[in-house]
Amino acid sequence: MTTKNKLITASILSSSSIAGISLINKLIKISATSKGLLEDSQKLCFHWRLGDIYYTKQGTGSPLLLIHDLNAAASSYEWHSTISQLSKNHTVYALDLLGCGSSEKPCLTYTNYLYVQLVSDFIKSEIGHRTDIIVSGSSSSFVIMACNNSPELFNRLILVNPDSIDVCSQLPGPYSKYYKRLLDFPVIGTLIYHIAVSKSAIRDSFEKAFFNPRAVKESTVDIFYEAAHLGFSPKSIYACVRCNYIRCNIANALKRIDNSIYLIGGNENESVRELFDEYTSYNPAVECSFINNSKSLPHIERPGEFLINVNMFLT
């Protein structure tokens, strides 16, 4: 075989491989989103400058904004076990962050400051009053930064298993930009993303986040799996979280905040007491409580006990 024919054959095989992977990617997306589990005719839309933000609003009383953890599979569904009870005494807003759930997922670099602006703009535009916040996991850092920047918009803050201050301070490593570029490739990058957010990977993450892994419901895994595949570029938020683009040093902001801050942690979460001690060392006014028989997601695993703690703080 001549060199020219070898090059033509290699080109054909390469093109066929790319076409095959592209087809696999399309089939995965279609399969993951076919059930329409996150479709909700009651969702409202906030037309933000970087994309449409979908949210629900229910109940009456003082405003309460629920903000889910920041990862590619997350959405406001994270609060499904608590919204109905909270809405008895509050007007409850639960949004899907940009890049997550049903909200738009543009192909851009997501940063901590982007979400600081999103939360502040949402409160100003859609709520219009000083607001209590319940926020989970990694999203706690940008809520703290937003509260520090615009304290007049925020009332009391409840942080559920927030990241440690050291974790919040992590910067993109030397290989982060290369990994992000790899993920940005339309075919190979999408395949890498689909492997990272496969149903088995999401199930494994839930089992690690629960004190009782057997309590993880397959229906919940299905919903998070669908959330990870909706929208134009769901892999963009994954890349930015994975490469630490959404991190920010919150130490000085935590010191300056004068708002009431309440930390809720799963008692079985490793090092949770040391983490909370770290927060109180920066701000002695921070209050803490722990929920037994739970780890990273007490509001999903133990919603009854979680609501008792929340109501105790908010009343």
Side-chain angles (χ1 to χ4, degrees):
M1 184 182 290
T2 66
T3 301
K4 182 179 179 181
N5 287 337
K6 287 180 179 178
L7 289 173
I8 291 172
T9 302
S11 177
I12 292 172
L13 290 174
S14 177
S15 298
S16 298
S17 296
I18 291 173
I21 295 171
S22 180
L23 178 61
I24 290 171
N25 286 334
K26 288 179 181 178
L27 292 175
I28 290 172
K29 185 178 182 71
I30 291 170
S31 174
T33 59
S34 61
K35 296 180 181 179
L37 300 173
L38 286 173
E39 291 179 2
D40 185 353
S41 60
Q42 302 301 313
K43 281 189 176 180
L44 305 172
C45 183
F46 168 43
H47 299 291
W48 195 46
R49 58 186 178 80
L50 292 179
D52 288 345
I53 306 300
Y54 286 91
Y55 68 97
T56 58
K57 175 184 176 182
Q58 56 184 291
T60 57
S62 60
L64 174 62
L65 175 58
L66 307 181
I67 302 177
H68 60 76
D69 193 8
L70 190 55
N71 64 69
S75 72
S76 57
Y77 181 80
E78 185 176 315
W79 307 103
H80 76 283
S81 297
T82 59
I83 287 180
S84 61
Q85 288 297 316
L86 291 170
S87 63
K88 291 180 179 180
N89 297 306
H90 304 277
T91 303
V92 179
Y93 300 79
L95 56 76
D96 290 347
L97 294 168
L98 189 74
C100 301
S102 301
S103 291
E104 277 197 60
K105 300 180 180 182
C107 181
L108 51 77
T109 298
Y110 294 82
T111 65
N112 191 279
Y113 185 64
L114 179 152
Y115 289 109
V116 167
Q117 289 192 306
L118 169 57
V119 171
S120 298
D121 289 347
F122 182 85
I123 294 173
K124 283 187 268 190
S125 174
E126 304 303 297
I127 300 178
H129 299 280
R130 202 173 183 206
T131 303
D132 292 320
I133 308 284
I134 305 179
V135 57
S136 158
S138 298
S139 297
S140 300
S141 64
F142 65 75
V143 168
I144 288 172
M145 297 302 291
C147 182
N148 179 62
N149 289 351
S150 305
E152 72 281 359
L153 300 177
F154 297 83
N155 193 19
R156 295 163 292 189
L157 308 182
I158 298 178
L159 315 181
V160 184
N161 283 315
D163 286 339
S164 71
I165 293 171
D166 285 342
V167 168
C168 291
S169 303
Q170 291 176 357
L171 297 174
Y175 299 107
S176 293
K177 65 178 180 179
Y178 299 112
Y179 184 63
K180 187 176 182 300
R181 284 178 187 172
L182 178 61
L183 286 166
D184 286 340
F185 281 112
V187 179
I188 299 300
T190 302
L191 179 63
I192 293 171
Y193 171 73
H194 283 162
I195 294 170
V197 296
S198 66
K199 188 177 288 189
S200 61
I202 291 174
R203 187 183 297 108
D204 287 346
S205 67
F206 263 105
E207 290 177 354
K208 291 176 183 176
F210 269 42
F211 169 67
N212 178 13
R214 289 174 294 181
V216 177
K217 296 179 180 177
E218 196 64 22
S219 59
T220 302
V221 174
D222 286 342
I223 289 173
F224 277 69
Y225 181 60
E226 177 177 294
H229 291 83
L230 289 174
F232 174 68
S233 184
K235 66 181 180 179
S236 294
I237 183 63
Y238 170 80
C240 294
V241 171
R242 180 75 171 75
C243 298
N244 291 330
Y245 284 92
I246 53 93
R247 302 294 186 189
C248 181
N249 190 328
I250 63 171
N252 289 330
L254 186 60
K255 287 179 183 177
R256 289 193 294 262
I257 287 177
D258 195 35
N259 300 63
S260 296
I261 302 176
Y262 188 48
L263 306 182
I264 298 179
N267 199 41
E268 315 305 327
N269 222 7
E270 188 177 351
S271 304
V272 67
R273 293 182 183 275
E274 291 83 353
L275 186 152
F276 284 10
D277 287 344
E278 183 183 29
Y279 273 74
T280 55
S281 70
Y282 282 92
N283 189 329
V286 169
E287 299 178 69
C288 310
S289 71
F290 303 92
I291 297 178
N292 291 327
N293 300 324
S294 70
K295 292 177 73 175
S296 300
L297 298 168
H299 47 302
I300 298 178
E301 188 171 15
R302 308 280 290 176
E305 290 77 1
F306 177 79
L307 286 166
I308 290 172
N309 282 266
V310 167
N311 290 330
M312 190 166 52
F313 180 68
L314 292 181
T315 56

